[in-house]
Amino acid sequence: MGCTFFIQTLGCPKNEADSGMLEARLSAAGHRPAAAGSADVIVVNTCGFIDAAKEESIAAILDAAEAAHARGARIAAVGCLVERYREELEREIPEVDVWCGLDPTALLAAVHGFAGEVDGGSAGGPSLRRSTRAAPPRLRRPRPVSAYIKVSDGCDRRCSFCAIPLIKGGYDAVSADGILRAARAHLDAGARELVLVGQDTSRWTEAGWGGMRRLLAELASLESAPAWLRLLYLQPDGVTDELLEALATYAVPYVDVPLQHASGAVLRRMRRSGDAAAHLELLERVRSVLPGAAVRSTFITGFPGETDADFEELMGFIEQAGLAVAGVFVYDEQEGTAAVGMPDAVPRQVALERAALLGEALDREADRYWKALRGTEVEVLVERGTADARGLAVGRIALQAPDVDGRTTLVGAPCRRGDLVPAVVRDTLGYDVEAVASGGP
Ligand code: SF4
């Protein structure tokens, strides 16, 4: 009869997509999703990108192991962190029942074995609590309004700070057929927004089939057409005019482009292209095709050799960039990457201070972007509805990506999860938006 499972996802939206695929594989094998407090197996999908993410993943594994074992459930740790540090983790955290890297075969086999214990009892070792329910526990979490779809894995670029190619290997595109199949499944399950993710999304193409423009066109014309299509992780040199035209035609006006720095000298040491002038030219092209687009980015402070002048150049760029939102990371050396041992390391305290200053500047500049939306007409994709016109619904406008950006509260109309409600922006608070349904009070 199979096991029940709960997947806890750490890290970025790409990991959400992996968890979605894992859920589909486990479900296809006869297991069923359940709430964390009642599942037979807790699966922690880890992130190994930077030290903070590793620590968060390890803390999540320990917490989940304690909670699972207290009620006789099993714990599996999977994903990037396990792929990279399996031996050390196995040694340090013996509480985990199953370790599995990026290939889920071992997890599927182990869960199959646990299911045998649930159904028939175990010959030895800690056995799973037998379910006394006649019917499988229902998944309490509603199906997401937004679904992540992975269009590729791995990366052929070799940014000197990044461990992703070491963990995930080279760039590997998912087939058009696979992407469209996943999209149909998500839409049939009630998703209204499809978010395409990969390490280098703009690069997606399939020989003899076409590139991102055709993919977006096909996704937009699926029978239960998505309300919104969104692309995350566009590398700057992949943001071509053709891609921008495709976004303007088929997707939301949202450009997620990790710039990482604005000093050409720092970017060269990072093994990346561009500088402040090139970034500004890129942003101008974005806005000429997608006026008012939300541009999201990420930046690193304290990369080896970053001088006060480099940092000032970055701050100057931020004042002109008009970004809607950005993440700031303090450089964190990753073993095996080309940046290890680079000269002129920046003291941690200096890197932290620069990150704080950069964060303040980004908040200040972003505030201008969001405030300018006051009084404009938008559509709100409802994630939590209300039956009462005086009640408060919660969702997002197209300029806000799921999980990583702000939210929108909506008043003035009863609405249901998944509805797309025309509204007017009444106010903004930081990265959050307050909207009133058109025709509402
Ligand atoms: S583009 Fe650079 S930062 Fe992004 S995944 Fe590839 S190597 Fe890492």
Side-chain angles (χ1 to χ4, degrees), residues 155 157-159 161-162 164-165 199 235 272:
C155 184
R157 298 175 192 251
R158 289 292 181 269
C159 300
F161 56 83
C162 180
I164 283 176
Q199 311 297 348
Q235 291 303 319
R272 293 178 65 90

Side-chain angles (χ1 to χ4, degrees), residues 9-20 45-47 79-80 168:
T9 307
L10 284 303
C12 65
K14 292 183 283 283
N15 234 19
E16 293 279 354
D18 281 343
S19 290
N45 187 6
T46 60
C47 173
C80 291
K168 300 245 174 180

Side-chain angles (χ1 to χ4, degrees), residues 84-431:
R84 202 164 174 213
Y85 299 106
R86 181 172 184 148
E87 271 182 32
E88 295 94 313
L89 290 166
E90 277 184 348
R91 213 171 36 239
E92 297 297 327
I93 317 181
E95 298 94 317
V96 170
D97 300 294
V98 187
W99 293 101
C100 177
L102 297 172
D103 177 352
T105 309
L107 176 72
L108 291 164
V111 175
H112 182 71
F114 298 157
E117 294 173 20
V118 170
D119 295 343
S122 170
S127 67
L128 282 174
R129 176 181 47 92
R130 284 165 188 258
S131 172
T132 53
R133 302 170 199 228
R138 286 178 58 77
L139 178 66
R140 287 193 199 133
R141 190 163 49 106
R143 301 295 303 184
V145 166
S146 301
Y148 294 102
I149 299 182
K150 222 167 189 180
V151 299
S152 67
D153 219 335
C155 184
D156 284 343
R157 298 175 192 251
R158 289 292 181 269
C159 300
S160 60
F161 56 83
C162 180
I164 283 176
L166 304 175
I167 302 171
K168 300 245 174 180
Y171 178 86
D172 187 17
V174 178
S175 68
D177 190 46
I179 296 169
L180 291 168
R181 212 167 339 109
R184 278 190 208 96
H186 284 302
L187 293 169
D188 289 348
R192 302 279 285 131
E193 175 182 22
L194 300 179
V195 184
L196 307 189
V197 292
Q199 311 297 348
D200 196 354
T201 318
S202 44
R203 178 182 158 179
W204 186 89
T205 184
E206 180 171 311
W209 192 87
M212 188 52 83
R213 183 176 184 93
R214 176 165 177 202
L215 184 62
L216 289 173
E218 299 265 348
L219 288 167
S221 61
L222 287 174
E223 202 177 328
S224 16
W228 290 346
L229 285 171
R230 186 184 306 274
L231 262 64
L232 296 184
Y233 311 112
L234 306 167
Q235 291 303 319
D237 54 11
V239 184
T240 60
D241 290 347
E242 189 196 351
L243 180 79
L244 289 171
E245 294 293 346
L247 293 180
T249 310
Y250 301 111
V252 291
Y254 187 92
V255 177
D256 174 34
V257 58
L259 297 172
Q260 311 299 15
H261 213 282
S263 152
V266 174
L267 285 163
R268 287 310 88 69
R269 279 198 298 279
M270 289 178 168
R271 297 194 181 161
R272 293 178 65 90
S273 57
D275 54 22
H279 292 347
L280 288 171
E281 186 270 332
L282 165 73
L283 295 174
E284 209 176 298
R285 278 195 300 115
V286 167
R287 291 179 181 124
S288 69
V289 182
L290 298 166
V295 180
R296 160 178 263 279
S297 193
T298 50
F299 297 95
I300 297 172
T301 63
F303 190 75
E306 183 193 56
T307 61
D308 286 344
D310 291 324
F311 182 65
E312 284 310 312
E313 198 174 346
L314 174 56
M315 293 289 276
F317 165 73
I318 295 303
E319 280 170 21
Q320 301 173 69
L323 300 176
V325 58
V328 177
F329 296 91
V330 173
Y331 173 67
D332 184 10
E333 186 175 272
Q334 296 299 304
E335 59 186 320
T337 59
V340 171
M342 274 190 181
D344 304 320
V346 175
R348 178 98 185 143
Q349 191 53 35
V350 174
L352 286 166
E353 285 164 13
R354 287 178 182 168
L357 287 171
L358 182 61
E360 282 167 21
L362 285 163
D363 285 348
R364 218 170 28 243
E365 296 304 316
D367 202 46
R368 278 193 237 278
Y369 174 86
W370 293 101
K371 278 198 171 114
L373 291 179
R374 290 176 182 169
T376 59
E377 293 180 1
V378 291
E379 285 184 317
V380 181
L381 180 58
V382 176
E383 293 175 330
R384 199 182 69 219
T386 171
D388 183 347
R390 285 166 302 176
L392 190 74
V394 180
R396 286 174 292 111
I397 59 174
L399 304 172
Q400 295 166 317
D403 300 318
V404 289
D405 290 345
R407 308 289 287 275
T408 294
T409 50
L410 175 73
V411 293
C415 54
R416 287 189 310 189
R417 185 179 169 73
D419 284 352
L420 204 55
V421 180
V424 174
V425 174
R426 182 168 66 184
D427 204 355
T428 59
L429 187 63
Y431 297 86

